[in-house]
Every structure is written in C-alpha cells, then in structure tokens.
Amino acid sequence: MAVKIIESCVNCFACEPVCPSNAIYEAKPHFLVDSKKCTECEGDFPVFQCASICPIEGAILDSLGLAINPPGSLTGIPPEKMAEAMAELQSH
Ligand code: SF4
Ligand code: SF4
C-alpha cells in the first residue's frame, strides 16, 4: 500500500519534510514516493500527510489510483464551474 505522486506535481517541496516514513524524494521530472517505504501514514497520522499539505489537486493518488485531493477539493470550485470559467476566459 502506497500513494503515488504524478506528473502534475509542481515540485514545491512541501510534502517531502512532512512524510513520517521518509518515503518522498526529489527526482526528475517531479517528486516521487518510494512505495516500499510509504506506510500511508498508518500508525503515525489519521490522514495522508503528503496529500494534506499538497497544494495541487490530483497530484497524489491513493493505492487505488484515485486522486486524494480530487478536482475542486482544494479550491472549492466544482470542476464543471471551473471548465465554464476557463472556456469563458479563452473566448476573450
Ligand atoms: S502517505 Fe504518508 S507515508 Fe506515504 S508518502 Fe505520503 S506522507 Fe509519506
Ligand atoms: S506537495 Fe504536491 S506539488 Fe508539492 S512536491 Fe509534493 S506532490 Fe509535488
């Protein structure tokens, strides 16, 4: 069981120091999680520390491959509203 950091990671360094298992490391092109070390914070914290500090929606996936912070979860903007706003911006 391990979480995964994907390509939308912006290399902000926020997650690396908060991991209780030292499972997160800097790599190219983005930070990665050592799946052998990640404990999913079990026994240390009730929530994934990396995902709780990550500012990018969708950058960290759970062991099922689902975004821990799905679109809209951090901004509070529903994905369909965001899509509408982006379309509106691009039409100008
Ligand atoms: S889920 Fe917990 S143990 Fe796994 S990488 Fe994130 S902070 Fe580290
Ligand atoms: S907190 Fe999120 S965006 Fe920042 S380095 Fe970690 S995974 Fe990447």
Side-chain angles (χ1 to χ4, degrees):
M1 300 286 273
V3 304
K4 187 178 179 191
I5 295 174
I6 63 168
E7 60 279 359
S8 49
C9 164
V10 295
N11 295 314
C12 75
F13 285 77
C15 57
E16 191 265 344
V18 300
C19 174
S21 314
N22 291 321
I24 301 173
Y25 60 98
E26 195 180 355
K28 292 280 181 221
H30 57 78
F31 276 74
L32 291 172
V33 174
D34 182 338
S35 59
K36 288 190 218 74
K37 286 189 180 175
C38 173
T39 56
E40 298 201 343
C41 293
E42 219 175 298
D44 289 304
F45 296 98
V47 294
F48 305 121
Q49 293 300 285
C50 52
S52 71
I53 203 165
C54 180
I56 305 299
E57 292 171 342
I60 307 182
L61 308 182
D62 66 15
S63 56
L64 299 175
L66 301 173
I68 299 170
N69 296 319
S73 62
L74 303 182
T75 59
I77 303 168
E80 57 281 5
K81 283 273 174 219
M82 182 66 99
E84 272 172 33
M86 293 307 281
E88 172 75 15
L89 282 174
Q90 279 157 11
S91 71
H92 289 293

